[in-house]
Amino acid sequence: MFKTTLTEAQSRIGDFLTDQMARLGDDRIAEGMRYATGGGKRLRGFLALQSAALFDVPVERALYAAGAVECLHAYSLVHDDLPCMDDDDLRRGQPTVHVKWDEATAVLVGDALQTFAFELLSRAEAGTAEMRVQLVNALARASGAEGMVLGQAQDIAAETAGRPLTLEEITALQANKTGRLIEWPALAGAILGEADPAPLRSYARAIGLAFQIADDILDVEGDAETAGKALRKDAEAGKATFVSLLGLEGARTRAHDLVAEADAALQPYGEKAQALRDLAHYIVTRDK
Amino acid sequence: MFKTTLTEAQSRIGDFLTDQMARLGDDRIAEGMRYATGGGKRLRGFLALQSAALFDVPVERALYAAGAVECLHAYSLVHDDLPCMDDDDLRRGQPTVHVKWDEATAVLVGDALQTFAFELLSRAEAGTAEMRVQLVNALARASGAEGMVLGQAQDIAAETAGRPLTLEEITALQANKTGRLIEWPALAGAILGEADPAPLRSYARAIGLAFQIADDILDVEGDAETAGKALRKDAEAGKATFVSLLGLEGARTRAHDLVAEADAALQPYGEKAQALRDLAHYIVTRDK
């Protein structure tokens, strides 16, 4: 049931992005943008759609937020995969953008995807002017030098720190690097629904951290082919992870506690939040 | 007189950015963002302030547009200077960001500067919600895969095209690569002033092209130390420029014709547009 809902949302977001990007033509940058957003789990976009659905926001409107967060996430992956960053050749089972084309193309494709995210949010169809400008402001704060980019820089700094991070440090780093961009689509639902964002923020913070812990578990236990990317990189690099700090069982327990927290935060929404509850469970049980 | 007006605007924009970036702390990314926006001619920001002034928009409001376009321009320079792009070591007489720090820092500083541009435009102080969302939309379209980034990709493609570009091709390329981001601050003034953008668009298109022709002349005639960047790169690379296509005198004539066009476009604004007229003249006579 949840898998069907997720699959439907994934293809709806995919169709939306295809439509929106049609105007960009078929030069290399547009092609790279389509390639970089062409696969993946689209969990952030799904989260935007489901959070908006709690408040009966029309899906045609929520798709702008969903598409925007997927473009923003894709930009961060394209740049993170660059040789000067994580130097990854494989993403979602396909060659990364700089491998398929070249580094300059990857820089520009990432740049243009970030721009496109903000463009989508600014479209008249995405909400009232007040909603759109709130979405832009929240996304900028979540993804910039106080959010995602700060987390990426903290991650790089950790590699040369000469000592592994503490649990507190890695929690703060991950809250920036991945947490903020998981929080944003949940908040987007509340902005579009003109609703109190507090319960969704608590939910999103819990699943954001659970997501990262699950990623660290996958990095140790997962299958690279299923995951579609290189694994075991953290352990090989001697980096602190939730698994190295909490142990495999400790990490699993913490992830499941966070899912319970996320469940509890959704209490005000009753039945309507079932897909969000299912998403929290999916996040810690996925194999990619 | 014009030089004083420009210098005052430059330092006002600098102070504004310093204030706005104070919140970002002093980690490496924030430091890099300050460094990358710390100098330069700030002509785009000046253009935003002067266009807004035509319609008596308060300068406190116009500074958000001015700051945003300077951040966006700075991001494009930081990424353009990367080894995989133009591979420049010097910018505004200082080491480029990837030379002063490293490539990963330069990628992230550029990314965060782009985000910050959109954040500035989304601030409540920047205008009504309708104005802010129009500013965001126009900046995204000007700078993304249909504008500046497209121009950067066209520039890279030209290098491997196996033949020099025609005048028509280089005009189209430059309209994207530099023209759109010169047009945006002029349009921003009209958006903030709720005014007809047509005259300012004509003005900005003329000075945008004049600016690029002047850059090509400077690349041949200029002094690298005064310019604060490497010169003669285009000729050495055998790239088509306005000078190679029109000759030095032809390029100069074309630039001056464009200044006359820009002057004419400002006719509706009378005396109030004097600084914009002076800016058009400055653009083709500057030595850096």
Side-chain angles (χ1 to χ4, degrees):
Chain A
M1 176 58 196
F2 170 72
K3 281 288 175 70
T4 312
T5 315
L6 178 60
T7 306
E8 277 171 13
Q10 285 165 341
S11 81
R12 188 136 196 197
I13 296 166
D15 292 347
F16 172 80
L17 288 174
T18 302
D19 281 356
Q20 294 294 323
M21 289 183 182
R23 203 189 64 224
L24 303 180
D26 56 2
D27 73 293
R28 185 189 284 201
I29 301 302
E31 206 188 325
M33 290 168 74
R34 289 186 189 98
Y35 181 81
T37 52
K41 300 180 287 291
R42 294 188 177 133
L43 295 183
R44 291 160 191 79
F46 179 72
L47 190 45
L49 296 185
Q50 289 298 331
S51 302
L54 293 179
F55 313 108
D56 300 316
V57 175
V59 64
E60 294 73 19
R61 181 170 274 196
L63 276 167
Y64 287 84
V69 75
E70 288 300 328
C71 287
L72 206 124
H73 177 55
Y75 122 65
S76 77
L77 298 181
V78 172
H79 282 186
D80 235 9
D81 288 339
L82 282 167
C84 67
M85 305 272 289
D86 277 359
D87 195 14
D88 275 309
D89 292 346
L90 206 62
R91 170 70 67 182
R92 298 166 176 170
Q94 304 287 328
T96 46
V97 174
H98 67 271
V99 170
K100 188 166 167 76
W101 287 278
D102 53 46
E103 283 182 54
T105 303
V107 169
L108 292 174
V109 164
D111 288 345
L113 280 171
Q114 175 173 187
T115 319
F116 200 66
F118 288 108
E119 184 182 336
L120 286 176
L121 295 180
S122 72
R123 294 276 180 75
E125 298 83 353
T128 66
E130 188 54 53
M131 287 171 191
R132 287 178 276 153
V133 85
Q134 275 190 51
L135 292 172
V136 168
N137 186 267
L139 184 61
R141 298 197 65 153
S143 66
E146 293 177 296
M148 185 184 77
V149 169
L150 175 61
Q152 290 172 300
Q154 288 172 325
D155 201 19
I156 292 170
E159 283 169 26
T160 55
R163 60 166 182 83
L165 297 188
T166 64
L167 186 60
E168 195 177 319
E169 286 168 333
I170 204 168
T171 304
L173 182 163
Q174 293 298 349
N176 288 324
K177 190 178 175 192
T178 60
R180 295 289 303 273
L181 208 62
I182 290 175
E183 193 176 321
W184 182 85
L187 297 181
I191 290 170
L192 291 169
E194 297 181 300
D196 175 14
L200 281 168
R201 183 179 286 120
S202 302
Y203 164 80
R205 287 189 178 170
I207 66 164
L209 185 51
F211 184 88
Q212 192 53 49
I213 296 175
D215 245 23
D216 285 353
I217 296 172
L218 260 177
D219 193 61
V220 174
E221 292 203 315
D223 174 62
E225 202 171 324
T226 311
K229 62 181 177 186
L231 297 178
R232 260 52 95 196
K233 287 188 70 175
D234 290 343
E236 283 163 20
K239 279 172 78 170
T241 69
F242 289 107
V243 173
S244 74
L245 289 163
L246 300 170
L248 204 45
E249 272 320 297
R252 240 184 233 116
T253 304
R254 181 84 184 97
H256 285 278
D257 290 350
L258 285 162
V259 171
E261 260 183 54
D263 268 354
L266 294 174
Q267 195 269 331
Y269 310 116
E271 279 300 298
K272 281 189 116 166
Q274 193 52 46
L276 290 174
R277 271 183 208 99
D278 293 341
L279 175 63
H281 289 271
Y282 169 78
I283 274 175
V284 298
T285 54
R286 69 203 157 90
D287 59 4
K288 62 178 179 177
Chain B
M1 176 60 194
F2 171 72
K3 282 287 176 70
T4 312
T5 314
L6 178 60
T7 307
E8 278 171 12
Q10 285 165 341
S11 81
R12 188 136 197 197
I13 296 166
D15 292 346
F16 173 81
L17 288 174
T18 302
D19 281 356
Q20 295 294 323
M21 288 183 181
R23 203 188 64 224
L24 304 180
D26 56 2
D27 74 293
R28 184 188 287 201
I29 301 302
E31 204 186 328
M33 290 168 74
R34 289 187 190 100
Y35 181 80
T37 53
K41 300 180 288 292
R42 295 188 177 134
L43 295 183
R44 291 159 191 79
F46 179 72
L47 191 45
L49 296 185
Q50 288 297 332
S51 301
L54 291 180
F55 313 108
D56 300 317
V57 175
V59 64
E60 294 73 20
R61 182 170 272 195
L63 276 166
Y64 286 86
V69 74
E70 288 300 328
C71 287
L72 206 123
H73 177 54
Y75 122 65
S76 77
L77 298 181
V78 172
H79 283 186
D80 235 10
D81 288 338
L82 282 168
C84 68
M85 305 273 287
D86 277 359
D87 195 14
D88 275 310
D89 292 347
L90 206 61
R91 169 70 66 184
R92 298 165 177 171
Q94 303 288 328
T96 46
V97 175
H98 67 272
V99 169
K100 189 167 167 74
W101 287 279
D102 52 47
E103 283 184 54
T105 302
V107 169
L108 292 175
V109 163
D111 288 346
L113 280 170
Q114 176 175 187
T115 319
F116 200 66
F118 288 108
E119 185 182 336
L120 286 177
L121 295 181
S122 71
R123 294 274 180 76
E125 298 84 354
T128 66
E130 188 54 53
M131 287 171 192
R132 288 179 276 153
V133 85
Q134 274 190 51
L135 292 172
V136 168
N137 187 268
L139 184 61
R141 298 197 65 154
S143 65
E146 292 177 296
M148 185 185 76
V149 169
L150 176 61
Q152 290 172 300
Q154 288 172 325
D155 201 20
I156 292 171
E159 283 170 27
T160 55
R163 59 164 182 84
L165 297 187
T166 64
L167 186 59
E168 195 176 320
E169 286 168 335
I170 204 167
T171 305
L173 183 164
Q174 293 298 349
N176 288 324
K177 190 178 176 193
T178 60
R180 295 290 301 273
L181 208 61
I182 290 176
E183 192 177 322
W184 183 84
L187 297 181
I191 290 170
L192 291 169
E194 298 182 300
D196 176 14
L200 280 168
R201 184 181 285 119
S202 302
Y203 163 79
R205 287 190 178 168
I207 65 164
L209 185 51
F211 183 88
Q212 191 54 48
I213 295 174
D215 244 23
D216 285 354
I217 296 172
L218 260 178
D219 192 61
V220 174
E221 291 204 317
D223 173 62
E225 202 170 325
T226 310
K229 62 182 177 185
L231 298 177
R232 259 56 93 194
K233 287 189 71 174
D234 289 345
E236 282 163 20
K239 278 171 80 171
T241 69
F242 289 105
V243 173
S244 74
L245 289 163
L246 299 170
L248 205 44
E249 273 320 298
R252 238 184 234 117
T253 305
R254 182 86 184 96
H256 284 277
D257 289 350
L258 285 162
V259 171
E261 261 183 53
D263 269 353
L266 295 173
Q267 194 271 331
Y269 310 116
E271 279 301 298
K272 281 190 116 166
Q274 194 51 47
L276 291 174
R277 271 182 209 101
D278 293 341
L279 175 64
H281 289 270
Y282 169 77
I283 274 176
V284 298
T285 54
R286 69 201 156 91
D287 60 3
K288 61 179 179 177

